[in-house]
Amino acid sequence: MAIVHSSATIRPTKPELLEAVLGGPVEVLGSYRFDDPAGEVGVEAFVVRRGAQLQHVVFTYRGAPLKVGEARLVSTMEHSELGQRWVYDGTTDPVAVDCFRRAVLGEQNQAVLELWEDGRMVGTREPTVRLIARAGASADSATVRIVRNLGDATTGPALVANWTGGEAVVAGLGD
């Protein structure tokens, strides 16, 4: 389960981060999360529209800087419940890439969103994007490709996202 602190404030906000990454105003069409098996990293993905282009943006939220040289830091943020967070481009974060690999293989489902307030769970919320693994996946030496520009052609094993008014491949496996 992905824990959402209902009354938390975040600076900068997620829409502000998305606008900074994509270079201007965006319309958020939906989002989804994965659970990190170790329970340390938040993995969240957004489907957004910027002008006529549909984009898929993945962030990871960490309680400390990542020690991997290839990961790209997007920003830091202040979370009123969790403190300082380091926000990374999830396409470069090994935890997110592993979550996507497992999801394409049908070994990991998207997270249920648990709403927490004052240290207790007060409900759940359905993700606004639903994921379906497209069959035929094999883990043998396949590279995960997380799709940024939705609508790019992808064949083979893939993860398909559905949201109100749309559907697109958001990740695939290939050599």
Side-chain angles (χ1 to χ4, degrees), residues 133-155:
R134 189 165 69 194
S138 169
D140 298 339
S141 73
T143 302
V144 177
R145 184 172 90 77
I146 300 171
V147 177
R148 176 67 169 264
N149 295 312
L150 298 181
D152 286 355
T154 303
T155 60

Side-chain angles (χ1 to χ4, degrees), residues 2-4 14 31-35 43-45 61 110-111 113:
I3 295 175
V4 177
K14 292 174 187 180
S31 65
Y32 62 94
R33 289 180 175 236
F34 287 117
D35 285 331
V43 179
E44 185 171 28
Y61 310 112
Q110 67 191 93
L113 303 175

Side-chain angles (χ1 to χ4, degrees), residues 42-108:
V43 179
E44 185 171 28
F46 300 86
V47 174
V48 301
R49 183 184 333 271
R50 173 144 163 57
Q53 181 66 49
L54 291 177
Q55 301 278 309
H56 177 236
V57 180
V58 182
F59 290 144
T60 56
Y61 310 112
R62 293 176 165 270
L66 187 58
K67 303 279 190 243
V68 177
E70 297 299 313
R72 188 174 74 78
L73 181 67
V74 171
S75 181
T76 57
M77 69 169 37
E78 283 299 322
H79 190 289
S80 63
E81 298 287 325
L82 302 175
Q84 186 171 21
R85 292 291 181 243
W86 282 259
V87 182
Y88 286 89
D89 174 346
T91 66
T92 66
D93 188 313
V95 169
V97 171
D98 285 345
C99 287
F100 276 93
R101 175 186 308 285
R102 286 189 299 275
V104 172
L105 294 170
E107 298 170 355
Q108 180 169 0

